[in-house]
Amino acid sequence: MAEDCIFCSIVSGEIPGRIVAETDHAVAFLDANPLAPGHTLVVPKQHYGRLSDVPGDEAAELFDAVHELSAAVEDAVDADAVSIGINDGEAAGQEIPHTHVHLVPRFDGDGGGSFHTISPASESPTDEELDEIAATIRGD
Ligand code: 5GP
Ligand code: ZN
């Protein structure tokens, strides 16, 4: 548990949270400032800053919970869809430094955007540039 971490305090029960699911290594609770009714956060119980800090088995459990909750959250508020995402790092908009997955219920005509609206489009890369980036990610 990290000191002064609001999500660690919710996980430990030190401050109340509206918990909606719990497994050995993950907890889900309602966002206190929801973007939509039912906005839910899924967090590892241990304090990890970034997704890549989470050990593989705990990450698998985290995403199992996301998988289970996607339908449960959508149904609970009679939504039409769910946006699921992680602000992974400050430059991506992460404000709470305890990694978490957002499940944001979406409604037909709610005026929100898709994942493609979170970042300005980059200039179209050449085929060579795409090949080079793909090779780098693969570790060729
Ligand atoms: P981030 O920008 O780090 O991806 O998102 C942090 C989220 O945590 C925001 O959606 C914000 O509304 C939520 N949040 C901030 N403080 C609290 C809190 O004390 N309790 C709960 N349940 N959610 C919080
Ligand atoms: Zn924490």
Side-chain angles (χ1 to χ4, degrees):
M1 176 165 170
E3 266 185 47
D4 294 333
C5 173
I6 201 95
F7 290 173
C8 282
S9 300
I10 291 173
V11 169
S12 71
E14 198 179 298
I15 65 166
R18 293 185 175 81
I19 308 267
V20 298
E22 179 167 6
T23 68
D24 286 348
H25 296 99
V27 177
F29 50 86
L30 294 186
D31 194 295
N33 300 294
L35 291 172
H39 184 167
T40 297
L41 303 172
V42 190
V43 310
K45 283 184 176 174
Q46 290 289 322
H47 182 91
Y48 300 112
R50 298 283 303 273
L51 180 63
S52 58
D53 298 328
V54 183
D57 54 344
E58 292 179 45
E61 199 176 307
L62 184 78
F63 281 96
D64 269 348
V66 171
H67 173 245
E68 291 260 325
L69 283 163
S70 58
V73 167
E74 183 175 319
D75 291 349
V77 295
D78 207 14
D80 301 301
V82 190
S83 290
I84 299 170
I86 301 174
N87 296 320
D88 192 28
E90 260 183 63
Q94 183 176 3
E95 290 183 355
I96 306 280
H98 180 138
T99 192
H100 49 282
V101 183
H102 292 260
L103 286 87
V104 182
R106 300 296 304 273
F107 300 85
D108 289 336
D110 65 12
S114 74
F115 195 66
H116 286 76
T117 64
I118 64 172
S119 179
S122 68
E123 282 185 26
S124 294
T126 63
D127 283 345
E128 291 70 30
E129 286 168 334
L130 288 170
D131 288 344
E132 196 181 320
I133 292 168
T136 305
I137 294 171
R138 282 194 303 267
D140 292 357

